[in-house]
Amino acid sequence: MANDKLAALVVVALFGCMAHTCQASYGYPNPMPPIPSPTPPTAPALSLNYYSYSCPNAEAIVREAVKNATDNNRGIGAGLIRLFFHDCFVRGCDASVLLDPTTANPEPEKLGIPNFPSLRGFEVIDAAKEKLEKECKEVVSCADIVAFAGRDATFFLSNGMVDIKMPAGRCDGRVSFANETLRDLPPPFANVTVLEAMFQAKGLDLDDMVTLSGAHTVGISHCSSFADRLPADPSDPTSMEPTLASSLQQRCNRGGDPVAVQDVVTPRDLDRQYYQNVLDRKVLFKSDAALLSPQTLKAVEHNAKNPGKWERKFKDAMVKMGNIEVKSKANGEIRKQCRFVN
């Protein structure tokens, strides 16, 4: 009964947004697919140092690939963190987001509206997998590579401040559908009710949602993802800060779909600045501004004002997310190439 009531609230919240056609500016369909009910965890246990005997250099190889990429472009690091999130939220952490279109499946996850063309970092996973296959043939899963890459990108972008102990042992999934991305990935126009329900469906709680939203302290976004927040609305207490809104409106009016940094204060670093930006209304998405809601405001304030607090919580939340619907050998495989099933 509680889930039924929550689902009803989500429908009201989401359709309230639909009534104002907020999806249109994002390219999202109307109506949106319903949020799935929470599923009980059935994943196999993961463990630290999983490859210590079967492929001792596995984690070092992934870290080297991520370091090479982030040294050249820190934005790729932000892309790898997002890649991990988008993988885990659709069918679990099974590397289904990496699968390319084929004749048998012309529309995999990576072509879903939330992923295409904005999702980045695929070439880093390919580079790591190629080297791993030479070192330890058909041992290290693509799903674990994605998890390690998200961990390592976090380490480098935080300048070593966030060092996640990421367990492994995931197998790769064999199924990937673009239409499931809309159902499972939180849209940039979601309010707190929708966000809470979508995270709850994956076994994550409200504080996990606030914590993982902090990844928006790095990376870029296309104007189409926040165009409905421009110009600033003086009557809305969660509206974007006027000076930032004016600057972004000038940028976004240049034509095409330009990009903007998500954190205007420390755009290159993964840090707690995001939460101060939320309080100062210097964030891009409606889903960011939604954290000013009474249910989440206190957590935002604590993260903004207490050095080290968010960093510790982010480490735990990333590991927790990495356990979503993990595949075993019974329903997965170790891919030879990350872009194709065996």
Side-chain angles (χ1 to χ4, degrees):
M1 182 66 70
N3 282 341
D4 291 342
K5 289 181 179 178
L6 180 59
L9 285 172
V10 170
V11 169
V12 171
L14 199 51
F15 275 75
C17 174
M18 290 173 188
H20 296 88
T21 64
C22 68
Q23 299 97 301
S25 64
Y26 301 93
Y28 279 70
N30 188 349
M32 289 281 286
I35 298 169
S37 299
T39 54
T42 57
L46 304 179
S47 61
L48 295 173
N49 305 312
Y50 181 81
Y51 295 105
S52 58
Y53 295 107
S54 59
C55 191
N57 293 325
E59 295 189 41
I61 287 171
V62 177
R63 179 157 289 205
E64 180 184 26
V66 174
K67 185 178 188 303
N68 290 339
T70 55
D71 282 350
N72 290 325
N73 181 358
R74 287 174 76 86
I76 294 298
L80 289 168
I81 297 170
R82 184 169 179 249
L83 188 68
F84 182 39
F85 179 92
H86 281 223
D87 182 39
C88 290
F89 261 60
V90 184
R91 290 189 169 267
C93 308
D94 67 348
S96 52
V97 73
L98 303 180
L99 292 173
D100 276 353
T102 62
T103 303
N105 182 22
E107 294 191 8
E109 286 173 36
K110 64 169 51 174
L111 296 186
I113 288 172
N115 291 336
F116 185 79
S118 60
L119 209 57
R120 300 189 292 170
F122 297 106
E123 69 284 353
V124 181
I125 307 300
D126 291 338
K129 180 63 170 176
E130 182 179 2
K131 194 165 184 179
L132 284 165
E133 285 299 298
K134 292 176 181 177
E135 179 118 352
C136 323
K137 189 175 178 64
E138 297 175 37
V139 171
V140 182
S141 71
C142 300
D144 280 340
I145 297 173
V146 172
F148 291 150
R151 171 201 66 186
D152 296 337
T154 298
F155 178 81
F156 293 122
L157 295 189
S158 69
N159 302 308
M161 294 296 292
V162 185
D163 191 3
I164 301 167
K165 307 302 180 187
M166 181 63 71
R170 304 165 186 81
C171 283
D172 300 322
R174 302 186 183 97
V175 180
S176 181
F177 297 123
N179 60 7
E180 292 181 345
T181 60
L182 292 169
R183 179 195 67 191
D184 290 336
L185 291 169
F189 50 79
N191 61 28
V192 164
T193 304
V194 173
L195 291 170
E196 182 178 14
M198 297 190 84
F199 275 71
Q200 184 185 65
K202 302 301 174 184
L204 302 172
D205 60 28
L206 190 63
D207 195 56
D208 294 324
M209 183 275 288
V210 175
T211 300
L212 290 167
S213 294
H216 289 174
T217 189
V218 287
I220 57 176
S221 173
H222 287 270
C223 288
S224 56
S225 292
F226 57 87
D228 62 335
R229 299 242 298 147
L230 304 175
D233 180 0
S235 66
D236 180 1
T238 67
S239 178
M240 193 181 295
E241 190 274 326
T243 302
L244 176 61
S246 177
S247 172
L248 288 172
Q249 190 160 24
Q250 291 179 30
R251 172 183 286 271
C252 294
N253 284 344
R254 294 174 183 171
D257 193 8
V259 296
V261 295
Q262 294 198 98
D263 180 346
V264 296
V265 182
T266 58
R268 290 173 51 83
D269 297 328
L270 189 138
D271 54 26
R272 72 181 196 281
Q273 180 62 44
Y274 167 80
Y275 297 97
Q276 188 59 51
N277 292 347
V278 171
L279 296 173
D280 294 339
R281 299 185 294 122
K282 293 181 178 179
V283 286
L284 300 187
F285 305 143
K286 279 188 172 180
S287 58
D288 294 326
L291 299 189
L292 290 171
S293 300
Q295 306 97 301
T296 50
L297 179 58
K298 183 175 290 187
V300 170
E301 291 173 338
H302 285 176
N303 289 338
K305 296 174 182 177
N306 295 289
K309 183 180 180 69
W310 170 75
E311 289 84 352
R312 290 190 295 272
K313 290 166 62 176
F314 191 72
K315 288 192 287 186
D316 292 341
M318 287 281 277
V319 171
K320 188 175 179 181
M321 182 177 74
N323 278 272
I324 297 174
E325 299 173 50
V326 171
K327 305 293 188 298
S328 67
K329 290 182 180 179
N331 60 352
E333 63 185 16
I334 307 296
R335 286 185 212 144
K336 300 174 184 177
Q337 296 182 61
C338 288
R339 292 175 181 264
F340 303 98
V341 299
N342 293 342

